[in-house]
């Protein structure tokens, strides 16, 4: 039997935030919106790919759902560009703008 707990949670509180990062380029995207759980089997089969096999054996798994997101707002941050702008002409960069060493 399928666990519907997350479906019910999203139905009660559909507000979401999706965040994407390209940390090496210091570029970030944040999208806020509303989520709806979908059981569109044709779309699931269309979108199913090899990486999804880490969680499900095939697109026919009855537990797979799709989140359909309607965006309300989106922001793009380019901190590399901000750092370059604030530090141009020999200006002193603030420590919080300095690149962090990779671990």
């Amino acid at each position: 039997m399928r666990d519907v707990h997350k479906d019910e949670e999203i139905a009660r509180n559909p507000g979401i935030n999706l965040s994407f990062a390209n940390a090496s380029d210091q570029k970030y995207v944040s999208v806020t919106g509303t989520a709806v759980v979908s059981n569109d089997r044709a779309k699931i089969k269309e979108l199913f790919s090899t990486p999804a096999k880490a969680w499900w054996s095939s697109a026919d798994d009855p537990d797979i759902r799709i989140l359909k997101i309607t965006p309300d707002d989106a922001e793009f941050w380019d901190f590399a560009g901000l750092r370059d702008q604030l530090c141009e002409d020999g200006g002193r960069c603030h420590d919080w703008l300095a690149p962090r060493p990779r671990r």
Side-chain angles (χ1 to χ4, degrees):
M1 183 173 168
R2 200 174 84 71
D3 181 9
V4 296
H5 173 74
K6 189 53 74 176
D7 296 8
E8 293 168 350
E9 183 179 334
I10 292 168
R12 281 191 313 274
N13 185 10
I16 57 94
N17 176 270
L18 303 171
S19 299
F20 306 92
N22 181 340
S24 64
D25 288 337
Q26 295 186 357
K27 294 181 181 177
Y28 306 88
V29 174
S30 176
V31 179
T32 57
T34 305
V36 175
V37 177
S38 170
N39 189 25
D40 180 338
R41 303 316 295 177
K43 182 58 88 174
I44 289 168
K45 287 181 182 190
E46 175 188 336
L47 296 174
F48 193 84
S49 62
T50 301
K53 290 182 180 181
W55 292 275
W56 305 283
S57 59
S58 78
D60 296 321
D61 187 314
D63 288 341
I64 299 176
R65 293 294 182 269
I66 294 175
L67 288 180
K68 182 177 180 179
I69 308 299
T70 302
D72 295 326
D73 190 36
E75 297 178 7
F76 172 73
W77 304 311
D78 181 353
F79 284 104
L82 175 65
R83 183 184 64 243
D84 295 343
Q85 184 178 25
L86 293 176
C87 300
E88 66 186 12
D89 298 326
R92 185 174 182 280
C93 292
H94 295 284
D95 289 340
W96 63 273
L97 286 173
R100 302 282 187 238
R102 293 183 191 235
R103 297 176 189 212

